[in-house]
Amino acid sequence: MGIVFDAASQTFHLQGKSSSYIMQLMKSKYLAHVHWGRGVRGSHLGGLLAIRRRCSFSPSTDPNDLTLSLDTLPQEFPAYGGSDFRVPAYQVQLDDGTTVSELLYESHRIYAGKPQLEGLPATYVEDEREAESMDITLIDQAIGLKVILTYTVFRDFDAITRSVRFVNVGSRPIKLLRALSFGMDLSHCDLDMLHLSGTWARERHIERRPIVTGGSVIESRRGSSSHSLNPFMALLSKQADEDHGDVYGFSLVYSGSFVAQAEVDPYGTTRVVMGINSFDFAWLLEAEQAFQTPEAVLVYSAEGIGGMSRTYHKLYRTRLCRGEFRDRHRPILINNWEATYFNFHAAKIEELAKVGKELGLELLVLDDGWFGQRDNDKSSLGDWFVDHNKLPEGLTDLANRVNGQDLAFGLWFEPEMVSPDSDLYRAHPDWCLHVPGRRRTEARQQLVLDYSRQDVRDYIVTVMTDILASSRITYVKWDMNRNMTEIGSAQLPPERQRETAHRYMLGLYEVMERVTSAFPNVLFESCSGGGGRFDPGMLYYMPQTWTSDNTDAVERLKIQYGTSIVYPISTMGAHVSAVPNHQVHRTTPLDIRGHVAMSGNFGYELDLTTLTEAEKEAVKRQVALYKELRPLIQFGEFYRLSSPFQGVDAAWMFVSEDRKEALVAYFQVLSEPNAPLKKLRLKGLEAGSNYQLFDADAVDETVECFGGDELMHIGLNLPIWKGDFRSRLYRLKMEE
């Protein structure tokens, strides 16, 4: 592991755990991309990059060397306006209206550890020996623009992070029109693109398609990372599957509008770029001012999609998530939302807590409706004071009642929004995002607070800290239930209005840092109508996310399977809800609802007081079993076995780091008549060891013994069931 610069060949070699990332300076000034993929020794790097003259329509930068054209040179951070006609990684506009820029190499610096990004979330190291970093400084002397490309390579991961800092070192203002986090030119294009798409209640479904000549783009223009498309993209070799083949992953540590693009040029080169969406974006850099881009995390795997996923899982779980709860078991909770919606009172919540305690639960979360005059979703967002009609003795009394049942107490907030029907909006109508003379478009009867303003941020921090300090609150669900429209700020001058959306994100990160730092013993969970902002930027402040508002077990198979492509299991909130399901009106057995929800951070979202005695006993067993399995599920290695996108069943498994214990979850969505006998090949086990296998739910355990090699190469015999929506959990323990 490390970064080596060879002066003779002018090459940079970034060596990961088993991968290499190689760049070369052409004519000592143009930074070219040579290789990213399987590790090489690096003994003869200087002659690996081949360039040739194409045609006069690809202009040369040097009349004495017609082979060198920026239009065909594989580059690391391509510009706009010179001789490269492909998609740029950045674009500027000068005060004379021109947009031409060209960056040339100036210097580089290699150092131990990993730098923090000012005002932005990013991966980190706890010991500088875990990583090595490099800053490559490029400069456009003609306009006074300095660009610092920062690379970090990790010792224990095949992961590289990239980010960019733009600095105006001249005397004239420079407007950034495009400022992406990285660019890269891969030398081949025989690739598929994999990404995650969806909508509210149908998040992060997997899509795979070939890339073709021209651009393959995913993006959000919603002001958030969005339900529709996640800030992640992977490029896969054609033969790559879950376990084999080359996979290149790109993930952006950002929660706002983004773009990711793979552009294939006429010569079979694939340019990959990712970062803040340049749509409706600009940033004015006055003299000596700087702009920092978000971080992109690049993961290479020679072991298919699964290998890439497990790298992201461990990196994000241990070196993106932070705080006390990063390594702690997450509590099993009951959330009152689908039990009561807005119609509750203190006695009802206490009753839920009492039954929850009887069933073995550990936390009660009071959802929307406890503040202002919030009897529906039409009012009171922004009025963060207790509704004494529902809670006559206040939050402290309710928290004490819940704690009296030996349950911790949690609370819901939506601090980024304001209702037009609220005291806050009536007092400060200019505190929301808006454009003078335009309507203020409402969604869910609410507007978006302008977090680019310091006075708004200070108000939110004050009211939240007052509430959290007033009672024994150990969990916060931080919700956000609409996207941005009329993006403008009353405090920004005309020339900076297109900075509003990004300044909002910087403001949001500031508020989250202040609030979460003030309450390190509180577990924060992010939410945006479920999974509308499930992204790495949020995980830096809050180690888990409400995966989807859709709690139907069948739909959750796809949602949780797709989410696992990038995000660790410890980040996924998953609950058992009532049937018929409130989102799709499907009726499924309690077993499959429990098994799906137990494949994440487990909880319930229903009225416990209406359960039958038989259902209560079943819930008790689920809770007790999850407590046994929780360390394995939340912190074990995750393997996808059978995709719900490709058939009538699904399966996945969790394996402990020492390979001594595993859990297999199998789900039959639909029954088939006269179906073939099925086997399920397991993964991640110790081939030379024997494992005891038994039904995790069985009261009287029937133990069978198999070799790890047998379970992985031949497979586990699956049950033959009649009926839809069936499931089983298998536990495996290595024989000593």
Side-chain angles (χ1 to χ4, degrees):
M1 186 279 292
I3 301 175
V4 177
F5 175 67
D6 182 70
S9 62
Q10 297 280 280
T11 56
F12 300 92
H13 188 184
L14 286 67
Q15 298 169 304
K17 184 179 180 182
S18 57
S19 61
S20 290
Y21 189 107
I22 302 168
M23 298 170 281
Q24 185 173 10
L25 289 172
M26 304 301 294
K27 296 186 178 294
S28 300
K29 57 184 178 180
Y30 297 113
L31 187 61
H33 181 82
V34 178
H35 168 77
W36 178 39
R38 298 179 190 236
V40 297
R41 289 174 295 155
S43 53
H44 299 89
L45 300 181
L48 293 177
L49 183 62
I51 58 173
R52 58 172 292 187
R53 186 185 182 192
R54 293 296 182 178
C55 67
S56 62
F57 285 91
S58 293
S60 172
T61 61
D62 183 351
N64 298 315
D65 183 1
L66 300 183
T67 64
L68 184 61
S69 170
L70 297 183
D71 189 38
T72 58
L73 182 71
Q75 296 179 64
E76 276 291 302
F77 201 69
Y80 171 81
S83 56
D84 190 343
F85 300 101
R86 296 168 291 176
V87 61
Y90 81 101
Q91 186 178 3
V92 300
Q93 184 177 40
L94 305 181
D95 55 359
D96 62 5
T98 61
T99 56
V100 176
S101 176
E102 182 176 75
L103 294 172
L104 303 179
Y105 169 82
E106 182 183 69
S107 63
H108 72 272
R109 179 174 72 98
I110 300 172
Y111 50 96
K114 185 178 189 296
Q116 292 184 323
L117 298 188
E118 182 181 350
L120 286 165
T123 55
Y124 59 89
V125 295
E126 293 184 338
D127 186 314
E128 67 176 18
R129 291 171 294 184
E130 295 177 17
E132 197 162 35
S133 298
M134 174 172 62
D135 295 337
I136 298 180
T137 300
L138 310 175
I139 192 164
D140 185 332
Q141 293 280 9
I143 65 174
L145 176 65
K146 184 173 287 190
V147 175
I148 303 165
L149 309 182
T150 297
Y151 299 77
T152 294
V153 57
F154 291 89
R155 177 189 64 198
D156 299 325
F157 303 98
D158 284 314
I160 291 172
T161 65
R162 290 190 57 180
S163 63
V164 183
R165 187 170 180 84
F166 296 85
V167 185
N168 185 350
V169 295
S171 58
R172 301 162 59 190
I174 298 174
K175 179 172 284 190
L176 295 174
L177 303 179
R178 184 177 179 88
L180 302 187
S181 295
F182 80 91
M184 175 199 302
D185 289 339
L186 300 175
S187 60
H188 53 291
C189 66
D190 192 21
L191 299 164
D192 286 347
M193 175 178 169
L194 184 148
H195 63 93
L196 305 174
S197 66
T199 184
W200 175 80
R202 188 165 41 82
E203 298 92 335
R204 288 171 302 286
H205 282 209
I206 298 171
E207 292 193 23
R208 179 172 178 170
R209 53 191 166 96
I211 60 172
V212 295
T213 303
S216 300
V217 184
I218 62 168
E219 61 182 328
S220 169
R221 296 184 294 273
R222 296 172 174 269
S224 73
S225 50
S226 85
H227 297 85
S228 302
L229 290 161
N230 197 260
F232 161 80
M233 175 178 71
L235 296 179
L236 293 67
S237 60
K238 290 294 185 180
Q239 75 278 13
D241 58 19
E242 187 66 28
D243 304 302
H244 309 94
D246 292 333
V247 176
Y248 307 87
F250 309 91
S251 175
L252 188 67
V253 187
Y254 190 61
S255 308
S257 298
F258 73 91
V259 65
Q261 180 170 356
E263 180 186 60
V264 178
D265 73 9
Y267 304 109
T269 297
T270 303
R271 173 162 292 176
V272 187
V273 295
M274 175 181 265
I276 297 171
N277 201 329
S278 58
F279 178 85
D280 201 36
F281 166 86
W283 196 276
L284 182 62
L285 286 180
E286 301 286 1
E288 300 183 2
Q289 289 185 343
F291 178 84
Q292 175 66 54
T293 73
E295 177 174 275
V297 180
L298 284 56
V299 167
Y300 167 76
S301 168
E303 299 176 347
I305 302 167
M308 177 201 68
S309 296
R310 285 184 289 279
T311 297
Y312 274 122
H313 290 180
K314 191 167 185 181
L315 179 63
Y316 281 178
R317 181 174 61 79
T318 64
R319 292 297 181 265
L320 176 66
C321 297
R322 303 178 298 161
E324 179 181 332
F325 286 91
R326 184 191 74 178
D327 302 320
R328 277 182 56 182
H329 299 155
R330 309 295 166 74
I332 306 171
L333 64 84
I334 172 65
N335 183 298
N336 76 297
W337 179 241
E338 290 192 18
T340 68
Y341 293 104
F342 295 102
N343 184 25
F344 62 84
H345 46 73
K348 177 63 177 180
I349 301 303
E350 184 179 16
E351 186 181 9
L352 283 173
K354 182 178 180 181
V355 179
K357 172 58 181 174
E358 294 172 0
L359 302 180
L361 305 184
E362 299 162 325
L363 166 70
L364 182 143
V365 179
L366 180 62
D367 211 281
D368 195 357
W370 57 267
F371 54 92
Q373 299 178 38
R374 184 80 165 169
D375 295 323
N376 50 52
D377 61 7
K378 297 180 181 179
S379 74
S380 300
L381 287 175
D383 296 344
W384 298 109
F385 49 84
V386 177
D387 181 355
H388 287 280
N389 291 321
K390 294 178 182 176
L391 306 175
E393 304 301 322
L395 276 179
T396 301
D397 170 73
L398 182 61
N400 289 339
R401 293 195 196 192
V402 173
N403 295 156
Q405 300 296 334
D406 199 26
L407 265 68
F409 179 66
L411 198 60
W412 179 95
F413 285 90
E414 192 171 1
E416 299 168 62
M417 301 296 155
V418 62
S419 302
D421 182 10
S422 68
D423 292 343
L424 179 65
Y425 185 78
R426 285 183 281 271
H428 299 284
D430 62 330
W431 274 18
C432 67
L433 295 178
H434 68 282
V435 173
R438 295 287 181 184
R439 71 162 182 267
R440 301 183 180 191
T441 304
E442 296 180 20
R444 203 174 181 245
Q445 292 82 47
Q446 59 196 51
L447 300 169
V448 183
L449 286 172
D450 182 2
Y451 268 42
S452 74
R453 297 177 57 139
Q454 190 66 55
D455 51 357
V456 172
R457 301 197 298 271
D458 290 343
Y459 169 79
I460 291 297
V461 170
T462 297
V463 295
M464 286 195 71
T465 54
D466 285 349
I467 289 290
L468 294 178
S470 70
S471 306
R472 292 177 60 189
I473 298 168
T474 61
Y475 169 101
V476 166
K477 181 179 177 182
W478 182 304
D479 210 346
M480 189 276 282
N481 279 303
R482 64 156 294 178
N483 294 140
M484 295 181 184
T485 56
E486 293 84 50
I487 302 176
S489 173
Q491 283 200 341
L492 291 176
E495 65 273 16
R496 292 191 178 274
Q497 283 297 317
R498 292 180 71 185
E499 300 176 9
T500 303
H502 182 58
R503 287 186 180 275
Y504 178 100
M505 293 313 309
L506 295 176
L508 174 63
Y509 291 148
E510 178 199 309
V511 169
M512 288 182 168
E513 182 69 30
R514 291 167 66 184
V515 173
T516 58
S517 297
F519 298 93
N521 298 320
V522 173
L523 172 59
F524 287 84
E525 178 178 88
S526 68
C527 176
S528 177
R533 206 163 56 183
F534 203 134
D535 61 65
M538 299 304 293
L539 294 180
Y540 183 76
Y541 303 96
M542 304 182 185
Q544 63 187 59
T545 299
W546 179 226
T547 313
S548 177
D549 280 347
N550 189 341
T551 52
D552 172 63
V554 174
E555 288 298 312
R556 272 299 188 109
L557 289 172
K558 292 182 177 178
I559 293 169
Q560 291 173 210
Y561 190 98
T563 302
S564 76
I565 293 290
V566 191
Y567 302 104
I569 301 304
S570 63
T571 66
M572 296 187 211
H575 298 170
V576 175
S577 62
V579 290
N581 175 263
H582 289 205
Q583 288 78 42
V584 299
H585 300 279
R586 191 187 342 257
T587 297
T588 54
L590 185 56
D591 278 354
I592 192 171
R593 283 179 278 152
H595 292 161
V596 173
M598 290 165 72
S599 299
N601 294 327
F602 189 44
Y604 292 83
E605 192 141 345
L606 45 73
D607 190 345
L608 298 175
T609 67
T610 64
L611 297 178
T612 66
E613 290 303 314
E615 288 171 331
K616 287 181 180 179
E617 288 302 314
V619 169
K620 280 183 183 180
R621 290 194 297 270
Q622 288 179 348
V623 170
L625 178 60
Y626 187 77
K627 287 178 180 178
E628 287 185 44
L629 298 172
R630 178 161 45 187
L632 177 61
I633 292 171
Q634 295 182 356
F635 304 122
E637 289 193 341
F638 183 74
Y639 292 84
R640 292 178 292 269
L641 304 180
S642 179
S643 171
F645 296 98
Q646 296 176 351
V648 297
D649 55 10
W652 48 61
M653 66 184 292
F654 309 85
V655 182
S656 63
E657 191 171 353
D658 60 9
R659 310 295 179 195
K660 291 184 177 181
E661 185 180 5
L663 175 72
V664 179
Y666 172 69
F667 308 93
Q668 177 178 284
V669 178
L670 296 177
S671 178
E672 294 180 282
N674 199 20
L677 299 177
K678 295 181 180 179
K679 289 183 180 291
L680 184 66
R681 290 185 179 181
L682 307 188
K683 301 177 184 179
L685 302 177
E686 191 72 53
S689 296
N690 293 328
Y691 288 85
Q692 293 180 336
L693 181 144
F694 52 94
D695 184 343
D697 291 303
V699 177
D700 298 318
E701 297 180 358
T702 300
V703 178
E704 297 181 87
C705 187
F706 299 95
D709 51 353
E710 296 165 349
L711 292 169
M712 291 190 293
H713 305 321
I714 299 175
L716 173 68
N717 290 320
L718 291 175
I720 301 173
W721 285 322
K722 292 184 178 180
D724 300 334
F725 318 135
R726 304 291 299 274
S727 62
R728 181 168 293 173
L729 298 182
Y730 297 93
R731 297 183 70 175
L732 291 89
K733 292 184 178 180
M734 183 186 291
E735 289 188 335
E736 297 296 335

